Each structure stands twice: as C-alpha cells, then as structure tokens.
Amino acid sequence: MRPFKLPDLLAISSSAVSDDRSWLVGAEESIDFLRQNASNDEIVIYASTRSVLIHGALGMTRKLPQESISELQNRNIPMPDDSWSIQRVLGGGKGHQMYLEPPLASVSDAMSGGEKLIFRRTFIGVSHGPTPIELSQKLIHSLELHFVPERHAYCRLDSRGDIEDVVRVIHQDGESDWDSLDAVFIQRSELDKFMALSKQCLVIRFDFTRVHWGSFSGWSKLSRYSKDNTDLYYHGGSDGQASYCNGVMVVRPQVTVAELVKCWKAEEDRTNKKYATFKIYDRKNDVNVETSCAPEFLSNYFQKSNLPWETSPAFFRAEVLHRFKADPEKYSLEERSISCRNAWYLKTYDINEAGQVHTYIGYLADLPYEEQLYWQAFNEWPKGPISKRAFQTDIVGDWYLEHEPLGALKHTISKLDEAPPTWWKKRGEGLADAVHYPATDSVKEWADEILALDQFLVEGLLLKPLRALAEEGGRAIDNNCGSLRVLQEVLSTRGHPNDSAKTIVAPMQRLHALRTEVKGHAIVEKKRAAEVKARTDSGSLRENFRSLVSECESAFNSVLASLGIKLKGQ
C-alpha cells in the first residue's frame, strides 16, 4: 500500500530552512513527486499552496496522442474556478446568441469533451472562510460516494460494512491565505475504473515556483530548459536565486474495461467462494456432525440425499452476539435477524433455553467467508434443542403466539410515538433498536441493557406535563420529585389508591434505581450488591432482565389504561 503522504507535498511547497538556496533553485525536483504520485495507491488530483499548483482534469484518450500532450504544456492552466457558464455573444452578423459552454472549452482541442474534476466557486460578499472545494458529481455519483464532514472525505461502505475514504480533501490554514494548503487525492484504483469506463485519461497541469515570495521582484538572467518524455512534458528555468517548472503530465488508466468485467465475473462465480466447517445437529439423520456449509455438502426437502438439510441448526456460545451489540451503527441486531450494512444479512437466529445462539447451516453459507470464520470460533455442540419459537416459526411454519414482553413493549411505544400525549417524549427507532435481552450472563452486558431499557422507557416520561396533570388533580408536588414519583401521584388522581398507584409504578422505579446502581456513579459495593441480588432473585442476570422487562411492560400498559390512552390499531 502506497498512500498519499502529506509531508511529501509539504516538502515541495516550502523549505524547512528560511534561506535554503538549494531548495530555491530546485523546482525541477518536484517532478519526482509527480512521478511517485502517479504510481501511488492514492493520487493527488489537486493541490494548491505556496509554490505548488497541481490541477487534474480528464481528457478523452483518443485525443491525447503524444504530440497533443506536448502542445498542452503551452496552454493556459485550467483554473479551479473555471466552470460551466452561459455565454452571450453579439455580433458577427448573427445577432444575439446564447449557449452553454463547458469549463474546458477554452483550453485546447485536445481537452474538448473532457471533464473537470475540481471546482472552486466563491459567493462574493456571502462566502466566508476557505473557498469550498467541489468535486465532479459524475465522478462522485458513479463511484457511489458520499461526503462525510467529520472524515473530510467522500466515502462509501466496503465489503465488510466499514466506512472507507475514497476521496480525501485536506485543508490546512497558514499564516495567510497564500500560505494555506488545499489538496484532494483519490484511490488510484477507483479513478482508473472511472477513466477506463469513460475512455479518458487524467491530465495534470502543474506549476512549481520557488522564490522568496516576500521580496521577489522578478526574474533576472534565466537558464532555461525543456524536457519531453512519454506522457510528461515540462519546461522551466533558474536564475541562481529562484526557479520554476511547469508543464503537463498524463496519467493513463492501469485497467481496461475487459479486465473490470473479468473481475466482476470472478466475484459472481460461486465456485470461487470459500466455506467454513461447522458442528451441527443433522435433523435428517438425527446425529451431530461436522460439515462444510458449502451447498454441495447440504440438501433440501426436495432432494433424495443423505446429506444434512440446509435447515440443520448450528449452535454457538452466546458471546457471538457481543460484537453486533457493541457497534449498532454498523450492525442491525433485530429480534430474529442480523445484518451488516452493505455487506451481509443473516436471515434468522434465536437463543435456546440452554443459552445457545443458533441459526441454520444454509444461512451461514450466505455469509462472507471472513464472517463465517468469526461464527465458527464460537461454534459448539448443541446443549439442547432450538428454541420453541424457532421450531414453531421455522420448522412447523406457523405463527408463534406466546407473549414476548420486550417485543410487545417496543410495539406499544412505537404506537405511542405516532400520537404522543403531552407527557411522553418520542423514543424513535434508534432507542428501540438499542434494547435487547442479554445473550450472556455478563455483568457488563446486563448493565448495558438496563441502561438501554431505562433510556427507552423511563426517560420518555416528561416531568413538567406530568406535574401539571398531578396539580390539576389537586396534588401538591414537591420540587424534588422525579417523573416516576409524579406519575404515581397522577395515577392516584385517576382513581387508584395510593398503594395501588405505588405498586403500578414500582417496576419502573426498580429499573431506574438499578440503572443508577450499575451504570451511574455508585460505589463498587453497591454495584456488586445489585448484581448479587439480581442473581439471587432470578437465578441469572439474563433471567433478571427478562423478569424486569415483563414487569415493566405490564406496568406501562396499566399506566396507559389509567390515563385513558388508546393506541392506534389496538
């Protein structure tokens, strides 16, 4: 990997020594930067700072034989602010005329039909700060890139679902605008792809001028030179105190359309795909076996074969889910499915009574090989059958009607969000997606889920509107009361005896108190005591959370009924 290195650009922009004569007369040395740049995995297509201007545009390959390139070095450099324009012409016996002119029209015939990549426009009297850098929308859209401000880059999702910087944009302030630096560089492979498909080449116009900018008064006796190389033409000069070098370089794509198609075919060819081996319960033959998840090692209900069915379950330690919970931006962990943005999708999974995560061997085959290896690391022999829910929905093919409290609570809150009463703050999908049953008996996972549930449920209760409801019912509310305490008073005004109101709110109060103990600033002894009590009362932290969710779901339904809230569709 040969990425762009900013120090290399800074080195040709200015010398570290204020009066470095060897640097001042060595503008031609910057050609080495251009040559290296053309062979890097990231290529600079624009750079502007003191002593350096590099500006790349695309020209049609068929119009860029060597003789045309040589002629380009004597043409005006297309400036970043050159853009599309509406031209108005009067005269020549044709009267008033108007037409649309592309940005490279005035450069040369060799560049006609080409495309500008970099645009810089100033909104006079309105714009403040550095002039924005805009990129060709044709380039950005075709490569499926999106600008991510905090990364200062045009990005996409790679095959692993990670954000990848494809075009990076650098701005560094200097002591003055003249000293500031702007640069744009792009992954060479992506630029090559675009150039090959559009039948174009990158034409870089460059100018390197090294002088004492504060005191430079003009050139004296210049010693001039001119160099003609394949795809690189430049001229320059030096007067012994300063130097310049400018010209044109053509960078041609290193890939052909035929090679791109060949690569695409290879990606689609399933015979090239690799498959991992898993321990499974072979449902067809009623035996535990180890087998590859490759299609040729599996069968379905319609095939006459002794091979395991695709719906044979594989079992995993519950820790397999931790990675997906830890990065909700990248992974979507639904109640029965898991997906990685732009990368893969696991159609179904569940957790059995033995605490094992399970899915079917046929679905594992759909994952990328790298992901299969991740799951393989947690694979183990079954300690029990698949969950009742999975058996009912996946094997029997029927609805699973047993009440599931967390799913029911999420559904209730989603309906409440559609028409929220004054005392409820919409929770949204993000907070709902963050709440899951703990997959393991890990203290940290349990504490994280307690926090997520409290944020999803209790933090939706708005104190001021609840206080207003209580006061309307004749209750005097202490200023130190929190939303749950006030909610208890509201329920009392709606016909519940004090003890009944307290009982209704109690599960949510336990949740909120537990959140403070295990995720707040409580002392270690209190955290440990809460953990011990949870295990003692419920047998495990997983079961403690399940029990708490069930109680909170029932309590919240009672609150809604008491306050006369009727949800749409229910």
Side-chain angles (χ1 to χ4, degrees), residues 241-444:
Q241 302 295 322
S243 61
Y244 74 91
C245 174
N246 62 60
V248 63
M249 181 179 193
V250 172
V251 180
R252 301 181 186 274
Q254 297 175 324
V255 67
T256 65
V257 175
E259 289 169 336
L260 290 172
V261 171
K262 183 179 179 181
C263 182
W264 171 38
K265 287 181 177 179
E267 291 173 355
E268 296 291 313
D269 188 351
R270 291 184 67 87
T271 62
N272 295 327
K273 185 173 179 179
K274 298 171 68 176
Y275 296 92
T277 297
F278 293 92
K279 302 179 181 75
I280 67 167
Y281 168 62
D282 179 356
R283 290 181 51 240
K284 178 189 289 185
N285 301 300
D286 191 24
V287 63
N288 291 334
V289 297
E290 251 186 299
T291 182
S292 168
C293 64
E296 60 266 28
F297 289 89
L298 305 173
S299 66
N300 57 47
Y301 297 119
F302 308 103
Q303 294 175 323
K304 291 183 179 180
S305 168
N306 288 326
L307 293 173
W309 283 325
E310 296 169 334
T311 53
S312 295
F315 297 80
F316 307 88
R317 299 196 312 276
E319 289 83 0
V320 72
L321 298 181
H322 281 178
R323 183 175 68 160
F324 312 124
K325 285 189 172 187
D327 192 353
E329 287 189 359
K330 180 176 179 180
Y331 301 104
S332 294
L333 185 64
E334 305 295 341
E335 187 178 351
R336 292 292 308 277
S337 65
I338 307 172
S339 60
C340 176
R341 57 189 179 192
N342 197 50
W344 54 263
Y345 174 68
L346 184 65
K347 187 174 181 179
T348 187
Y349 80 98
D350 212 339
I351 302 176
N352 65 9
E353 291 186 6
Q356 291 178 296
V357 173
H358 57 80
T359 187
Y360 303 107
I361 185 74
Y363 294 148
L364 290 168
D366 294 332
L367 301 179
Y369 182 66
E370 193 175 69
E371 188 62 29
Q372 291 176 27
L373 293 180
Y374 171 77
W375 284 80
Q376 185 191 61
F378 296 88
N379 187 212
E380 60 184 5
W381 295 115
K383 298 177 181 177
I386 62 176
S387 69
K388 294 179 181 178
R389 177 171 61 176
F391 182 81
Q392 186 72 13
T393 59
D394 304 340
I395 306 304
V396 177
D398 200 356
W399 295 102
Y400 183 70
L401 301 177
E402 187 172 322
H403 184 69
E404 196 285 289
L406 182 55
L409 179 62
K410 289 183 178 183
H411 178 72
T412 296
I413 290 179
S414 71
K415 290 296 182 181
L416 191 63
D417 281 354
E418 293 178 5
T422 57
W423 50 266
W424 181 253
K425 182 178 181 180
K426 287 185 179 182
R427 310 320 288 143
E429 291 184 3
L431 287 172
D433 291 343
V435 189
H436 307 278
Y437 288 117
T440 69
D441 209 40
S442 157
V443 175
K444 183 181 184 305

